[in-house]
Amino acid sequence: LGAEGLTYNERRAMGFGTLTERLGKDAQLNFYDCNLTQSAAVQPLCTPHGYLYSKQAILENLLSQKRSNKRRLKEWEQRQAERKEEAAGESAAREEEQKEAFYRRNHEGLASASASGSAAPSQQEEEAGAGRTGAFWLPSKTPEAQAKAGDRPSMVSRCPASGKKLKLKDLFPVTFARLDGKDAGGADSNGGGQYIDPVTKDELSNKDALVAIKTTGVVIRKKTYETLVKPYGELNGSPVAPKDVVELQKGGTGFAAHDKHCQSKKKFQLGVGNGLADVRGQGGAGPSLGGLSFSN
């Protein structure tokens, strides 16, 4: 290249700009995975918006958020106290200046006027003279930038996956039924066995829309709920109201029509791994994705 600046097409060929990559099934979570550990949820807890977490992982995360909120609140209170103290000091300094000016006008001004035969300067003249002599380029006259204290930090804990408000009491345990008759809600949720719908005994997969019942923690297909549970208002003898049903987030299948987040985007200043030195042809590199080669 050897030029000081590159054309837009040359930079695009080197990987400049926003690169988009299609994510396959292996890069996405399954319907039973924890959104923090990205593995099968152990003692899974569900949020009101259908995100699954391992019990230990989400409790540690919420505790960490609470500690961080307290730390930020303490720092904010310290900044507020410093600002109040600074304001009080400035107010006291202004009051002392007013007292000094009043004393000069009423005592020193009269004495100098009687001695020189001229009248004492008025308050408006003194203020105008002070403005004229304000040399802003001097260090003592340079204004200081006021640090913004900002708003009071929020003490709200949020869901790591959705960013929505989340409280500990909003979480509820869920249980996945297995083909071997065991419930996958304990510590052995990484073991063998297939997850099934406990009502129809059909195997569950990432393409299925699933719902969880808050009162019992049972996970079934959404179609099963609408056809066999909702019309009767009960499941296994337990009443089920529409407010007790939470739709779980679907697992990844690799198909754009099914997956909501099947693309990953990242913006690069210059091609991946090339470095800014190649803008001026100072460093050599291999061929780029767009076909350009660097043989400096």
Side-chain angles (χ1 to χ4, degrees):
L1 298 175
E4 287 297 321
L6 302 176
T7 65
Y8 177 75
N9 290 333
E10 289 174 339
R11 289 191 295 168
R12 288 288 296 176
M14 295 169 60
F16 170 83
T18 302
L19 300 182
T20 303
E21 182 180 356
R22 176 72 177 270
L23 300 178
K25 179 180 181 302
D26 295 338
Q28 302 183 58
L29 299 179
N30 297 307
F31 67 90
Y32 52 82
D33 285 342
C34 169
N35 283 270
L36 285 174
T37 62
Q38 298 185 358
S39 59
V42 180
Q43 294 180 321
L45 297 178
C46 184
T47 69
H49 298 94
Y51 291 93
L52 287 182
Y53 297 99
S54 295
K55 183 177 181 180
Q56 181 178 357
I58 188 60
L59 292 182
E60 291 179 353
N61 183 273
L62 293 178
L63 181 59
S64 177
Q65 291 189 46
K66 187 175 182 180
R67 290 175 178 173
S68 178
N69 292 339
K70 288 184 177 180
R71 182 179 64 256
R72 289 189 286 109
L73 177 61
K74 186 177 180 180
E75 294 175 354
W76 179 83
E77 291 176 346
Q78 290 178 353
R79 291 195 297 267
Q80 289 292 99
E82 292 175 357
R83 289 174 62 89
K84 290 182 179 179
E85 185 178 355
E86 182 180 355
E90 293 177 354
S91 177
R94 286 194 299 268
E95 186 177 353
E96 288 296 329
E97 292 178 358
Q98 293 176 359
K99 291 181 180 179
E100 185 67 22
F102 177 82
Y103 179 81
R104 288 197 305 268
R105 287 195 301 268
N106 291 275
H107 297 280
E108 296 178 359
L110 291 177
S112 61
S114 59
S116 61
S118 60
S122 62
Q123 181 178 2
Q124 290 79 5
E125 293 175 349
E126 288 186 354
E127 292 178 354
R132 288 194 298 270
T133 59
F136 60 87
W137 57 86
L138 297 177
S140 59
K141 300 295 184 179
T142 303
E144 296 181 357
Q146 300 293 333
K148 296 183 179 180
D151 299 332
R152 181 185 177 92
S154 174
M155 301 300 292
V156 174
S157 300
R158 299 190 177 277
C159 174
S162 65
K164 297 181 180 180
K165 183 178 179 181
L166 179 64
K167 295 182 179 180
L168 182 60
K169 64 180 181 180
D170 297 333
L171 299 171
F172 62 93
V174 297
T175 302
F176 293 95
R178 287 188 181 278
L179 185 61
D180 53 12
K182 298 181 180 179
D183 292 334
D188 62 341
S189 59
N190 289 322
Q194 300 294 332
Y195 299 112
I196 62 173
D197 186 324
V199 178
T200 61
K201 306 302 181 181
D202 294 330
E203 182 179 348
L204 303 181
S205 63
N206 288 338
K207 66 180 180 180
D208 295 325
L210 307 177
V211 297
I213 312 300
K214 286 184 178 181
T215 54
T216 61
V218 177
V219 177
I220 59 177
R221 282 181 173 176
K222 184 177 181 180
K223 184 177 181 180
T224 302
Y225 165 74
E226 293 177 348
T227 57
L228 300 179
V229 178
K230 186 176 181 180
Y232 305 100
E234 65 174 2
L235 176 64
N236 298 330
S238 300
V240 177
K243 64 178 182 179
D244 299 329
V245 180
V246 176
E247 185 172 357
L248 300 182
Q249 297 295 322
K250 296 181 180 179
T253 61
F255 293 95
H258 177 273
D259 302 335
K260 296 181 179 179
H261 310 286
C262 62
Q263 286 186 344
S264 176
K265 295 182 179 181
K266 187 174 182 180
K267 184 176 182 180
F268 295 95
Q269 184 67 22
L270 197 59
V272 184
N274 292 331
L276 296 179
D278 288 325
V279 173
R280 295 177 175 85
Q282 298 172 356
S288 66
L289 297 178
L292 287 181
S293 60
F294 308 97
S295 56
N296 303 21

